[in-house]
Amino acid sequence: MEDHTAASGIRVHPAPVLRQYVDSYVGFNLRGLPAGVHCGPPSRALTAVISLSDPLEVAAGVDDGSPVARFGSVAGGLMRRSVAIHHDGRQQGVQVSLTPLGARAVYGMPAAELAHRLVPLDELLGALAAELVDRLRSATTWAARFTVLDELLLRAVGRGACGDRSRRLRPEVAEAWRRLVAARGCVQVGALAAELGWSRRYFTERFRGEMGLSPKTFARVLRFEHAHELAAARDPLPWGDVAAVSGYADQAHLVRDWREFTGRSPTAWRRGEVLLAAR
């Protein structure tokens, strides 16, 4: 495994055989932070989180009246808005980031079926989820926990490895996803559709049917994800530079998307995001 220290814990890549399905694992152990709400931003990944301590208190939107639900472990699809993670200054757990291919391989369903949703992990993995939670909580080191993740996710993939068509992602959609991710969303959707040999309308329908987001919206999420990474850096760029580097027409364009995806202006996000204080 490769690893490096992340602001909230340890980030590692999974075993090589899993890397087309799983982008990363993050182990986090937050202590001594002010109580508050972490704004979990939209990204290219489908996220699952397993708490190693108290249940997670999560809402499907920030500052929008979305109800807060409690989960021991939770999975979500691709989102076009941030989730609100409420905490008392302490939180310990593991985050798994799946690719769209991983949604089919691990959960046995297209990513679209989970788009904009938060569901208990056991609804997707059944008894395997209970075993995963128990073994992660019993492990005493991050290395041991990541080994457990490799073992059980490989088992989940193996359950559908016998030619089940429901576990397959159409090659053109997979290629479109790869190109959009590689370009961080800075791609003309019409040109990409033409390169795939599809009309823009047909491409949009096929992509949305698999991912739950249109290619245009997914491209916007990717640009925002890039901007968020830059803004959350230890020594962040000025907002105008963040906008330019991440492909926005101007700072006003960035501000509009930031409000849509987080429910807050960039300045209000930076002032209120509790995890920035942990850096």
Side-chain angles (χ1 to χ4, degrees):
M1 291 182 177
E2 302 173 29
D3 65 5
H4 64 274
T5 301
S8 56
I10 303 297
R11 180 188 301 270
V12 307
H13 293 295
V17 70
L18 279 171
R19 290 184 188 177
Q20 61 180 320
Y21 310 123
V22 183
D23 182 68
S24 67
Y25 306 139
V26 173
F28 57 90
N29 186 8
L30 307 178
R31 289 178 291 181
L33 296 178
V37 178
H38 166 50
C39 185
S43 74
R44 72 189 69 185
L46 292 84
T47 301
V49 181
I50 300 97
S51 174
L52 300 178
S53 53
D54 297 332
L56 300 158
E57 297 187 357
V58 186
V62 177
D63 299 337
D64 65 355
S66 295
V68 178
R70 290 167 62 86
F71 300 94
S73 58
V74 61
L78 296 178
M79 305 283 190
R80 61 175 299 161
R81 60 178 179 167
S82 297
V83 299
I85 304 168
H86 298 251
H87 64 88
D88 62 1
R90 299 176 297 111
Q91 208 165 67
Q92 184 179 26
V94 178
Q95 176 178 302
V96 179
S97 296
L98 296 180
T99 69
L101 183 57
R104 284 191 177 271
V106 175
Y107 299 147
M109 63 179 62
E113 293 191 24
L114 287 170
H116 317 301
R117 296 177 60 207
L118 298 171
V119 299
L121 190 60
D122 56 10
E123 288 189 12
L124 303 176
L125 295 181
L128 192 66
E131 181 182 352
L132 177 62
V133 171
D134 287 345
R135 292 183 59 184
L136 286 175
R137 290 179 176 174
S138 297
T140 57
T141 66
W142 289 120
R145 292 176 185 128
F146 298 141
T147 297
V148 168
L149 285 168
D150 279 346
E151 179 186 336
L152 269 68
L153 292 178
L154 277 169
R155 195 190 307 170
V157 171
R159 295 190 302 192
C162 300
D164 184 350
R165 293 181 62 84
S166 70
R167 305 277 176 144
R168 299 179 187 175
L169 176 61
R170 184 157 180 168
E172 294 92 340
V173 176
E175 177 63 17
W177 179 83
R178 284 191 291 268
R179 293 195 194 186
L180 285 163
V181 168
R184 293 183 179 266
C186 297
V187 173
Q188 293 295 321
V189 172
L192 180 54
E195 290 175 17
L196 296 171
W198 287 346
S199 70
R200 178 168 180 155
R201 179 177 179 180
Y202 185 74
F203 170 46
T204 297
E205 290 173 349
R206 299 297 303 193
F207 193 93
R208 183 188 287 116
E210 181 65 40
M211 307 295 181
L213 302 179
S214 71
K216 182 177 180 180
T217 299
F218 185 60
R220 290 178 61 212
V221 167
L222 290 169
R223 286 196 298 272
F224 168 78
E225 181 184 47
H226 189 195
H228 187 275
E229 290 172 358
L230 295 170
R234 190 177 299 274
D235 296 308
L237 296 170
W239 287 113
D241 292 341
V242 169
V245 172
S246 51
Y248 286 92
D250 52 33
Q251 186 171 334
H253 185 196
L254 167 66
V255 170
R256 288 195 298 273
D257 269 14
W258 204 282
R259 285 186 180 279
E260 178 175 340
F261 290 135
T262 71
R264 299 171 176 174
S265 70
T267 301
W269 167 83
R270 180 166 282 167
R271 184 172 58 245
E273 177 50 64
V274 293
L275 290 189
L276 293 179
R279 293 176 181 272

